[in-house]
Each structure stands twice: as structure tokens, then as C-alpha cells.
Amino acid sequence: MWNSQVECLTRADLEQLQLKRLIQTAQRTYERVPFYRKAFDDAGVHPDSIKSLADLRLLPFTRKTDLREHYPFGLFSEPLSNVSRLHASSGTKGKPTVVGYTRADIDVWSEVVARSLACAGSKPGDIIHNSYGYGLFTGGLGLHYGAEKLGATVVPASGGRTQQQILLLQDFKARVLCSTPSYALNIAYTLQELGIERDSINLEIGIFGAEPWTEEFRTQIEALLKIRALDIYGLSEVMGPGVSMECLQGRNGLHIWEDHFLPEIIDPKTSEPLPYGEEGELVFTTLTKEAIPVLRYRTGDISKLNVERCTCGRTMVRMARVRARLDDMLIIRGVNLYPSEIEKVLMQIEELAPHYQLVLERKKALDTLEVQVEITEHLLQRFGKFEDGQVELTSLTDKIQVLLKDGMGLTADVTLLKPKSIARSEGKAVRVIDRRRETN
Ligand code: DLL
């Protein structure tokens, strides 16, 4: 364990620390950020009203739109002269969201990432190959600083140029791979395509996150790369990677570093807090952030919390693997579902490769879904040419349609593709192509 004193605090001591820090954060935001002062005043609340952790529910929520509306630095609680780093989202849905870090914020971030790496079984002296993108995205630099703090040797590979990355994996003999799960799969498939033996690389542990992935996806990556794959979670608005991490011993939920991030689960419709064990929207209040503290930030991620003691000895609450993002929910002819539910079905079919995309269109006011998925190289070899396998491919298509219909009541078109038809991920995979606006 990187910091057992903190990671194994009694719940009572932890809650005392959280309360002290919550009050400080409320004061900081009230005194320094006009947006929060107004929100407090509008709700008739003052930081002095906070007497216990339960009073958290008095505080205002923060949403992604609030960051956008105060672009770029309107929610900062420090002058830029005290901000040593900026990160930003790609801004595909409008203005990017910008976050900043003081020197102390970077230290805390490195600490929680070092804890996360150790939690996954990494240790000082490890060679850590970091394929998260470097740049405005928090993945690359976030993992990098934490790995250095741990005392590891970091290979700052970033995303892309996969063949070169494989060469580095072979020659530098990294034990730990940090990447999105979809990029790890890309590496695994590229190894196969190049005819490179798995045993020419030294990987033992994968630290995968930044996008939703299913247990079935984990099984595939672990089998192909012969590693233990662990889930890391985080978001830029709260810090970046390292808000929570699955432990090697328990592998049943991700420990939230609660001395820095105070979690809640709320009902997304009523905004009311839900008890431990119930699924809802994950909300975080930062407890130590200086540059841009956030109160009750609504992540849009669906999860639940488990406060039972973990076999690893850590007392920090665990969040369930993020099932999906609220805004990723698809409504297809009255059926509500998330991409991960389709992924689960596809991953169980032996003849399919784990490369898929979901294409949404709107035809005569009805939403339609086309599931595009690649067949395995192995199946293709059975026919020789894709075109020669029509009979088998038709029956496979029917089988998938029945599984989707029986499993989730979903009527979808299924298109089978040759291996390598879908663009390989180099960072966060694009699973859904939404053409509903164009086709309406
Ligand atoms: O993705 C930070 C990160 C980098 C996490 C590297 C882990 C590893 P953002 O770009 O701000 O930050 O995206 C945050 O990504 O709200 C989730 O929807 C999703 N996400 C992150 N980690 C996971 C995960 C980084 N382990 C958004 N499982 C979050 C599922 C995840 N979704």
C-alpha cells in the first residue's frame, strides 16, 4: 500500500477529516467564486451552516454546463499566477471545459495516482508504459506524475504509432501498461497481426480506464495479453485519473480516495441522495482542490457505493464499475439501453471480434440502430473469402438478432464486417455514431 495510514483510516477518523475539509472547501468557494456565492445565497445557505457531513445536501450542485458557461477561468478560486497547469476537454459538444491545478493540486494528484498504481500491484522500480494521451487530456500527464512519485520508470508513449509502442514494450520490458481498455485491445490485436509472440513482452498488469468497459471486455483483454487488468476511474472536473481505483486483492469495485473526493449517489431525476448500495448518478465534492474546487459535481456516470470492508484492508468506500454515462442512454423504439449492454451480448459470441460500433439513424420519426461488428480472423479463415461465407454469416446475423431481442427486447439491424473494418481506438473508443440529426 502506498499510504496505509490514510488508506486504512477508521471510518470515524476519515469522516472527521472529511468534515473539516468540506467546511474549508465551502468557505473557499463562497469567499472566492462569485458563481458559488450566488448559489449559496440563492439557497439561503452559508458555509457556517455545515455542522455534519449530512449537511452536504444543503450545498448547490455543479454541472458541466456551469464550467462551460464560465469558460475559461470563471470558476477558479486562485489567480492564474498561482496556477501551474491547465487541462481541457476536447470540446466536441461546444466550448471545452477548462480545469487548473496549483502546485499543491499537482502534488495531491500525484499522491492519489501513486496510491492507485500501488493498489493495482505496481511498485517502485517498475517500468510503466503510459499510452494515455499526453496533452490537454488529463490521462497522460496525470498517470505520468503519479508513476514518477511511486518511484517507477515511466515510458511516456502517449497514444498511436502502435507498432512502435510494441517495439518499446518488447525492448524496455515494461511490467505495467496504462491505457484505455480499447487501446489495450488494439495493442493485443496488433501483436497478433504482426505475428509477435505474447511472451516477447513482459506485461503483467494493465491499468485501464477513461471509458466504460464491461467485465466481458476485461476477460478478453486478460486472455489476449495474459495480464491482470484493473479499472481506474477519474474525471478532469474533479481531478483527472486516480479519483478511484480497483484493488488487485478484491477486484470488486474501485476504492475512492475519500480524503480528497467526497462521493454521493443521487437519483438523477429528483437529485435526492440515495443510500449505499443503490444505483444512481455519481456526484463528487472535492475536499482539497485549490485552483478549481467543485461542490457536488454531477458526473453523469452511473454507479453505486459499497462501504463494506474490502479484503485488501482499505477502508475507503468502493464504487461499482461505471455502468454507463447517463447521456449515453439510447432509446430505440421505446427500449432504453446503454451501449455496454450490447457489448456484453456481443462479447459472448465466439465468432465475433471485440470491435463494434453502434450507428443510430432516424427514419420517419423512428430511431433505428445498426450494430456493426467484426467477425474473427479465425471465422474468416474458414471461408477463405468473406463473400464465400454468406450462408454462415446470415445465420450468425440471425443468432445475434435473436440474442439482442431476447436479452433486452431490442430490435436492431446487425451488419457483420470483415476483420479490421472498424477504425482501431488510440484513446477513448468511439462506440456510438449518432446520425439522427442528419437523417431526420
Ligand atoms: O478520462 C480521466 C482518466 C484518464 C480516467 C485516464 C482514467 C484513466 P475525462 O476525459 O474528463 O477524464 O473523462 C471523464 O470518462 O466522467 C467517465 O464517463 C469516463 N470514465 C473515466 N474513467 C472511467 C472508467 C478522464 N474507469 C469521464 N470506467 C468520466 C468508465 C470512465 N468510465
Side-chain angles (χ1 to χ4, degrees), residues 132 137-139 143 208-213 231-237 240-242 254 299 301 322 325 428:
Y132 286 114
F137 174 52
T138 50
L143 259 300
F208 302 141
E211 63 187 8
W213 53 312
D231 197 3
I232 184 167
Y233 170 87
L235 64 167
S236 338
E237 295 85 349
L254 296 82
T299 64
D301 294 325
V322 170
R325 289 188 54 80
K428 298 194 191 223

Side-chain angles (χ1 to χ4, degrees), residues 329-341:
M329 189 173 81
L330 310 172
I331 305 177
I332 308 296
R333 298 194 185 113
V335 179
N336 298 7
L337 67 131
Y338 291 101
S340 60
E341 295 171 72

Side-chain angles (χ1 to χ4, degrees), residues 71 86-91 95-101 135-138 236:
Y71 174 86
L86 297 170
H87 280 286
S89 69
S90 54
K95 286 230 175 97
T97 45
V98 180
V99 290
Y101 304 79
L136 287 173
F137 174 52
T138 50
S236 338

